Amino acid sequence: MLTTTRRRRALLRNLLIFAGFAALAVLLGVPAKAYEAQQFFANDQGQVEFVMPSGNIGCIYTPIGGTSVYETADGLAEIQCDRVEPSYIRAILGGQGEGYLLDNVGDAGCCSLTQQFDYDHVVTLGPFQCLSERRGLTCARQDGHGFFLSRALVQAR
């Protein structure tokens, strides 16, 4: 009976060691997804417009101080992104505070086709960083406030 218990413990120990090495091998063998940086040109007012490859989400970045025809709510930089389908929603993130959503947009007019934000790319615009993925668009500041837009889900934080 004592040898049976020792054998079970040794087998269990060996299985745990093997499982640990297998898990480590999987973790080390699966590289993290790398996102390539993308650059966009700004218009003469400093604004940057881009659209996702699907054509369903388009964004406009406005720098600190706004433009000659548009002032941001807090005077700081701002990014606004519009999702067209399945319902029109605008996500806005200013230079401070949380991102927020508007579903009653009076000036709906998405999306400029001048610059495409390729999937698996990231862009930094002022204090914001946006990530384009097939599953949707994420834009945030370093403090964690931002938003996520896709056909299936809309979130602001």
Side-chain angles (χ1 to χ4, degrees):
M1 175 118 167
L2 186 58
T3 55
T4 305
T5 304
R6 285 184 182 162
R7 285 185 184 167
R8 284 185 183 159
R9 285 184 184 165
L11 179 62
L12 182 59
R13 182 186 68 235
N14 290 340
L15 285 173
L16 287 173
I17 290 170
F18 176 76
F21 280 120
L24 185 61
V26 168
L27 290 174
L28 293 176
V30 178
K33 188 168 190 169
Y35 295 99
E36 189 174 333
Q38 187 164 342
Q39 300 293 318
F40 294 117
F41 65 86
N43 65 21
D44 59 349
Q45 298 276 323
Q47 287 183 309
V48 175
E49 294 184 65
F50 60 86
V51 65
M52 298 285 286
S54 67
N56 193 44
I57 298 172
C59 300
I60 185 164
Y61 162 77
T62 302
I64 293 175
T67 70
S68 61
V69 295
Y70 179 74
E71 285 185 36
T72 64
D74 58 11
L76 301 173
E78 175 183 273
I79 189 159
Q80 291 187 17
C81 296
D82 292 0
R83 182 199 70 180
V84 179
E85 295 292 335
S87 61
Y88 203 100
I89 293 178
R90 178 169 293 158
I92 301 173
L93 181 61
Q96 58 189 9
E98 296 182 355
Y100 60 96
L101 305 172
L102 298 174
D103 58 3
N104 187 10
V105 180
D107 63 344
C110 186
C111 297
S112 168
L113 297 177
T114 57
Q115 299 183 97
Q116 181 174 292
F117 191 15
D118 298 326
Y119 292 134
D120 298 328
H121 281 71
V122 64
V123 65
T124 300
L125 300 165
F128 313 111
Q129 190 169 65
C130 296
L131 174 63
S132 172
E133 299 176 289
R134 288 191 185 282
R135 68 181 194 94
L137 173 73
T138 304
C139 291
R141 289 190 317 263
Q142 277 191 324
D143 64 5
H145 291 293
F147 56 80
F148 174 79
L149 296 174
S150 73
R151 286 184 193 274
L153 181 65
V154 177
Q155 291 180 320
R157 57 184 192 287

